Amino acid sequence: MRRRFVVPVLLGVAALVAGAAAGPRAMPPEEQLITAPGYRAQPAYADNGQEAADLRWLASGTVPGSGTPWQDMARWALVDVHAHLEMNGTVSAGPGGPWDHFWPRDGSFAAVALSRSGHPSDAASVLDRLARLEFDPAVGFQARYAMDGSPLTDRPRQSDGCGWVLWAIAEVRRDDDAGVPPSASELRDRCVRTLTGLVDGGRRLPPPSPDYWEVPVTRTSLGTVAPMLAGLAAAGRDYAATGDLEASSRTHATVARLATTVERGMGPGYERFGDDGGLDASLVVLLPPFTAEDDLPAGMVRAVEKALAHYQREASQPAGGVAPGVQWLKPGGASWTPQTALVALSDAAGGHGHAADLRLAWLDAHRTAHGSLPEKVTRTGRPAGPAPLVWTASLVVLTLAELDGTSASAAS
């Protein structure tokens, strides 16, 4: 059972919310680190029996990156994911306050990290909870849910959620069938129907929807359509793995049409809105491990790889990580650990182990005093924002599994 935390809401701090408008940048004060009272204050435990429980849980699975310089980071990342997992399958994004909610995106990554580290029953609990959330067949999931699973309607629905969920189901199944609950089949079918409708069978881009930036948009972003494309491709493979060849063929045909539509509507630059908006980290979702060989046209993959190289340079921040996008409007010069870890995962899956190691070294060097991965690193190199951030912790586990060669994509 997840340990419950309470944390005060600090003024001026929110998860992935855009800030000041473009113009001369006056550097604001650097953000502070936020963690929950009662959580680890150092890389040690209070004498309350929790250390023994965590060690038993870790020993029941595996720790990707064991025997490497990143072993300690991986162990704490797994402990942090598990600590934020409720018995009902919801996973909070971070340490209380505004982050004490369940995002389908973050939950999908946590499910794959739990599966990849040999904890299929925990992964199954997350997927089962996703299957039981309130859902609009025309759009999909809410942006986020309360920790009891009830819907939160203070933000618009985010139609990319089904893409992340479809990818997670396929990844978990490739690890271990035991990680996929019976409810996941209906969830897969429902998400495929919803996404297929949103893109008219692949013939159009989906309507505008907030994506992981969680800001209003009036045009379709790559951050919305890329997870849809990757998720549908994963669903096509998952249908084949479960013997439904007709559904697999039908879904792959949708993917082929949608890839052509994305190539036409978002290429050749693949900026946030196709021809403008700047490059952002959602480029990663069009590459392994989110897509497989032959999912996308070769020319499209080459263009995305080129754009991703430009993004890494142009989004670099003073402390050494990256911003979510090159036109990210929040001032202050902070590096964002989820996007930095996404790039590391892409490097690992693409066979660029040295580049992934450099990103992992940076993440490791900027953990908190209690060993957790924060959401941000300030321009002067201090951990900031909520810590731990479950999305980043999950991404680090997945990156290390790729480097170990034990991931589903590495094994394919």
Side-chain angles (χ1 to χ4, degrees), residues 97-157:
W99 302 277
D100 198 25
H101 302 306
F102 182 47
W103 276 259
R105 176 199 61 226
D106 298 49
S108 295
F109 279 89
V112 180
L114 290 164
S115 171
R116 195 82 9 111
S117 58
H119 301 283
S121 63
D122 289 324
S125 73
V126 179
L127 295 181
D128 185 63
R129 169 51 66 182
L130 286 164
R132 299 175 190 280
L133 294 175
E134 181 271 344
F135 186 92
D136 181 346
V139 184
F141 293 102
Q142 297 284 355
R144 55 188 186 160
Y145 296 79
M147 292 304 291
D148 64 3
S150 59
L152 297 173
T153 58
D154 57 333
R155 298 182 181 184
R157 291 181 185 270

Side-chain angles (χ1 to χ4, degrees), residues 286-373:
L286 295 175
L287 299 172
F290 301 99
T291 62
E293 188 176 0
D294 299 330
D295 278 346
L296 306 179
M300 180 179 180
V301 172
R302 287 194 295 271
V304 170
E305 289 175 337
K306 181 179 178 181
L308 180 59
H310 286 299
Y311 160 74
Q312 292 189 60
R313 290 194 295 271
E314 295 172 23
S316 293
Q317 294 294 89
V322 295
V326 301
Q327 292 187 15
W328 178 253
L329 300 179
K330 193 172 181 68
S335 301
W336 288 72
T337 64
Q339 286 68 49
T340 305
L342 270 171
V343 171
L345 176 58
S346 179
D347 283 334
H352 307 295
H354 178 64
D357 279 343
L358 292 176
R359 295 291 186 188
L360 288 169
W362 183 86
L363 289 161
D364 186 46
H366 293 91
R367 288 190 288 154
T368 68
H370 56 275
S372 293
L373 289 150

Side-chain angles (χ1 to χ4, degrees), residues 24-72:
R25 293 181 64 184
M27 288 291 102
E30 293 187 339
E31 291 188 34
Q32 300 300 304
L33 183 66
I34 303 168
T35 193
Y39 206 67
R40 298 190 318 272
Q42 55 188 353
Y45 290 87
D47 186 17
N48 60 3
Q50 189 59 51
E51 180 175 14
D54 285 345
L55 289 173
R56 285 194 300 270
W57 181 80
L58 287 169
S60 70
T62 60
V63 178
S66 292
T68 74
W70 326 127
Q71 177 174 309
D72 185 70

Side-chain angles (χ1 to χ4, degrees), residues 242-268:
T242 56
D244 193 342
L245 299 184
E246 180 180 351
S248 176
S249 177
R250 186 170 60 248
T251 306
H252 280 306
T254 300
V255 170
R257 288 191 294 268
L258 183 57
T260 298
T261 299
V262 171
E263 191 172 23
R264 183 174 61 247
M266 292 284 181

Side-chain angles (χ1 to χ4, degrees), residues 57-304:
W57 181 80
L58 287 169
S60 70
T62 60
V63 178
S66 292
T68 74
W70 326 127
Q71 177 174 309
D72 185 70
M73 177 169 57
R75 287 169 61 86
W76 284 123
L78 282 169
V79 167
D80 284 338
V81 172
H82 188 234
H84 287 76
L85 171 65
E86 292 280 11
M87 290 183 67
N88 67 6
T90 55
V91 187
S92 64
W99 302 277
D100 198 25
H101 302 306
F102 182 47
W103 276 259
R105 176 199 61 226
D106 298 49
S108 295
F109 279 89
V112 180
L114 290 164
S115 171
R116 195 82 9 111
S117 58
H119 301 283
S121 63
D122 289 324
S125 73
V126 179
L127 295 181
D128 185 63
R129 169 51 66 182
L130 286 164
R132 299 175 190 280
L133 294 175
E134 181 271 344
F135 186 92
D136 181 346
V139 184
F141 293 102
Q142 297 284 355
R144 55 188 186 160
Y145 296 79
M147 292 304 291
D148 64 3
S150 59
L152 297 173
T153 58
D154 57 333
R155 298 182 181 184
R157 291 181 185 270
Q158 293 178 200
S159 59
D160 61 325
C162 268
W164 300 118
V165 168
L166 290 173
W167 168 76
I169 292 170
E171 289 291 294
V172 171
R173 193 187 308 277
R174 292 173 73 186
D175 287 340
D176 189 339
D177 279 336
V180 184
S183 58
S185 293
E186 192 276 334
L187 173 61
R188 177 188 61 188
D189 294 346
R190 188 176 359 133
C191 275
V192 167
R193 286 194 300 269
T194 296
L195 294 188
T196 300
L198 284 168
V199 300
D200 188 23
R203 299 174 185 85
R204 69 183 182 203
L205 293 175
S209 168
D211 58 18
Y212 77 95
W213 284 34
E214 297 189 15
V215 297
V217 294
T218 58
R219 297 172 61 188
T220 301
S221 71
L222 190 65
T224 290
V225 71
M228 292 184 179
L229 188 51
L232 286 167
R237 294 190 295 275
D238 195 58
Y239 278 127
T242 56
D244 193 342
L245 299 184
E246 180 180 351
S248 176
S249 177
R250 186 170 60 248
T251 306
H252 280 306
T254 300
V255 170
R257 288 191 294 268
L258 183 57
T260 298
T261 299
V262 171
E263 191 172 23
R264 183 174 61 247
M266 292 284 181
Y270 295 96
E271 295 188 43
R272 179 161 165 74
F273 301 112
D275 57 359
D276 65 15
L279 300 168
D280 84 9
S282 58
L283 287 159
V284 166
V285 188
L286 295 175
L287 299 172
F290 301 99
T291 62
E293 188 176 0
D294 299 330
D295 278 346
L296 306 179
M300 180 179 180
V301 172
R302 287 194 295 271
V304 170

